[in-house]
Amino acid sequence: MSGEASASPASAGDEGPPSGVPGFRVWALPGLPEVRPGDDLAKLIASTEPGLVDGDVLLVTSKIVSKAEGRIVEAADREAAIDAETVRVVARRGPLRIVENRQGLIMAAAGVDASNTPSGTVLLLPEDSDASARAIRDGLRDALGVEVGVVVTDTFGRPWRTGLTDVAIGAAGVRVLDDLRGGTDAHGNPLSATVVATADELASAGDLVKGKAAGLPVAVVRGLPHVVVSTSGEDEGTRGMVRGARDDMFRLGTSEAVREAVTQRRTVRAFTDEPVDPDAVRRAVAAAVTAPAPHHTTPWRFVLLESAESRTRLLDAMRDAWVADLERDGKSEESIAKRVRRGDVLRGAPYLVVPCLVMDGSHTYGDERRDGAEREMFVVAAGAGVQNFLVALAGERLGSAWVSSTMFCREVVRDVLGLPEGWDPMGAVAVGHAAEEPKARPERDAGAFIEVR
């Protein structure tokens, strides 16, 4: 890579690598005036006589796109602007917020920026950077008759790495990702996870010559025509570069992750037949047994029903006991069948867990009131353990449903599973992968559940 910040195509110094050696050139584009709201960026770039040729890639700093599109607000409104641009808070530390903005990007302060803009103002990101890139590409084709790619860039910090770099937030006419999966490396090893972020690499290359304070907001890359794609048809833009929530293992900050897991824990009543990872369930149990408990006890036991045979044997025995109870209550066959069907959520799950309460370490007072309170403390601790378990399962991307049915036939459950007499089954938890997205939970006003004294 070569090129001074003020270089032009004809005077960029070294003409490139030796013949036959892969390489490219990158230089900043001089002569661009201060951009103002309403300016046509393609015409401004064309007016600098940039000497563009087919296959070049233009790297355009998002700030000049925002200025041209009038995305300027008063600095006093910065916090309100961040709020307006924010879809969700990913992490917060003091006044600093890392958020997902309306463009789907995860970044500090939703991309609202006070640099390279007149004093007293801040810039918002373009509303649709892909559309902005298309407008510049089309405008340059009309003005100069060239087929180029355009990447709109912005500066990002990165998890686990110190320092900033430019990445692509919009693109047109550029192959933004190079999917090498299915190929092999130089040693013949299969490539199963290699997808190169070509547009981000181009953005970073341009940042090396544009700089942050040199007043050179546009760079040109030449020598990589294979990354420029036909302008016909639908342009993919940068939408596919944003990792989806399901595949994002680092979606939240620590405190936000805890709140997200709690609020996103939902009762799942229909599961796919995808197997459950037993290690994930064991990790959830490890979280469960950190719950508070009286007298430094450990009143939880979790029975994992990992074989289909064990699940069927238990559920059949529970069904028979339940039917016998309902018949003794005088329920009709139709009523009994309807009630028994409610237990189908357990039969449809590929994995079952029976949490049990043990009273080891409890105190006996010989007083009905105090002994009753003692048991209640242990029951509350058992519930806390189950809640930890359910939340941890949600964190493992597993759905669950806590069903109380084992509490109505504890002797049957103990007998079928061979459990000690002192183990009290506290329901059963169906575990698996949700067959469909859960319905939206009705909003609840927390204030309605609070009394302050």
Side-chain angles (χ1 to χ4, degrees):
M1 182 170 64
S2 64
E4 297 295 329
S6 60
S8 67
S11 61
D14 183 7
E15 288 301 315
S19 176
V21 177
F24 65 92
R25 294 167 53 207
V26 56
W27 65 91
L29 195 64
L32 202 67
E34 177 67 24
V35 176
R36 304 184 185 283
D39 281 346
D40 184 323
L41 286 180
K43 289 182 177 179
L44 288 182
I45 293 169
S47 71
T48 67
E49 299 182 1
L52 298 176
V53 299
D54 290 348
D56 284 348
V57 179
L58 256 72
L59 309 167
V60 182
T61 301
S62 63
K63 289 181 178 60
I64 65 169
V65 179
S66 296
K67 289 178 180 179
E69 295 178 358
R71 300 280 286 163
I72 304 172
V73 298
E74 296 297 324
D77 298 330
R78 184 172 187 268
E79 292 304 313
I82 295 173
D83 290 340
E85 295 295 303
T86 295
V87 172
R88 66 182 178 89
V89 176
V90 174
R92 185 192 303 267
R93 181 171 296 172
L96 176 62
R97 283 181 280 173
I98 306 297
V99 308
E100 177 184 351
N101 67 13
R102 293 192 291 113
Q103 292 82 13
L105 304 171
I106 308 294
M107 57 195 313
V112 178
D113 197 349
S115 63
N116 292 298
T117 186
S119 177
T121 66
V122 294
L123 292 173
L124 314 181
L125 289 179
E127 289 196 27
D128 184 343
S129 296
D130 288 331
S132 302
R134 288 194 295 271
I136 295 171
R137 178 201 60 187
D138 294 346
L140 289 171
R141 185 195 308 117
D142 293 342
L144 302 176
V146 292
E147 290 290 347
V148 298
V150 175
V151 176
V152 177
T153 71
D154 197 61
T155 303
F156 274 48
R158 299 158 298 159
W160 311 293
R161 304 285 287 181
T162 298
L164 304 172
T165 187
D166 268 20
V167 302
I169 66 169
V174 173
R175 194 184 313 279
V176 297
L177 295 170
D178 190 5
D179 191 346
L180 303 179
R181 291 173 297 183
T184 57
D185 63 17
H187 298 281
N189 300 309
L191 298 174
S192 58
T194 305
V195 181
V196 178
T198 304
D200 284 347
E201 293 184 329
L202 290 166
S204 295
D207 189 41
L208 290 175
V209 294
K210 288 188 297 179
K212 300 298 184 190
L216 297 164
V218 179
V220 180
V221 170
R222 178 169 295 168
L224 299 174
H226 62 282
V227 306
V228 178
V229 298
S230 169
T231 59
S232 62
E234 180 69 21
D235 203 310
E236 64 178 320
T238 54
R239 292 183 298 275
M241 301 186 76
V242 178
R243 193 184 298 275
R246 182 175 292 274
D247 298 323
D248 188 352
M249 296 176 65
F250 310 101
R251 186 168 169 79
L252 299 167
T254 303
S255 60
E256 290 75 20
V258 172
R259 286 195 293 273
E260 179 83 358
V262 172
T263 57
Q264 293 304 310
R265 186 217 61 77
R266 308 294 293 278
T267 296
V268 174
R269 301 190 180 281
F271 300 92
T272 70
D273 57 4
E274 181 180 351
V276 171
D277 178 5
D279 289 338
V281 178
R282 284 162 171 76
R283 289 192 293 269
V285 171
V289 299
T290 65
H295 314 316
H296 306 288
T297 58
T298 54
W300 321 276
R301 301 293 186 271
F302 291 84
V303 185
L304 312 183
L305 277 62
E306 296 186 339
S307 71
E309 187 275 333
S310 66
R311 294 192 295 273
T312 299
R313 189 158 51 90
L314 174 64
L315 295 176
D316 284 351
M318 288 171 56
R319 178 198 58 206
D320 293 344
W322 196 8
V323 168
D325 281 346
L326 293 171
E327 287 176 344
R328 282 194 297 271
D329 292 341
K331 301 296 184 183
S332 67
E333 288 188 12
E334 181 182 358
S335 175
I336 291 173
K338 182 177 180 180
R339 291 167 184 263
V340 168
R341 281 197 298 272
R342 293 174 184 168
D344 287 349
V345 63
L346 296 178
R347 288 191 181 273
Y351 199 109
L352 290 183
V353 178
V354 178
C356 296
L357 166 67
V358 297
M359 295 289 291
D360 298 350
S362 62
H363 296 174
T364 300
Y365 300 97
D367 176 288
E368 182 177 346
R369 177 181 60 82
R370 296 167 72 190
D371 286 343
E374 181 78 1
R375 178 171 176 80
E376 286 178 353
M377 287 196 304
F378 276 75
V379 171
V380 169
V386 173
Q387 171 70 354
N388 274 13
F389 181 63
L390 300 176
V391 170
L393 289 174
E396 296 281 353
R397 296 292 191 266
L398 288 170
S400 64
W402 185 15
V403 181
S404 62
S405 52
T406 67
M407 299 173 70
F408 293 89
C409 52
R410 284 172 170 156
E411 288 296 338
V412 172
V413 176
R414 280 193 287 261
D415 180 59
V416 172
L417 298 181
L419 303 180
E421 181 65 27
W423 288 28
D424 279 347
M426 304 297 286
V429 179
V431 182
H433 298 272
E436 57 189 21
E437 289 295 322
K439 295 179 181 178
R441 177 186 281 124
E443 290 290 332
R444 292 175 180 170
D445 177 12
F449 302 92
I450 296 173
E451 292 290 336
V452 178
R453 299 290 187 267

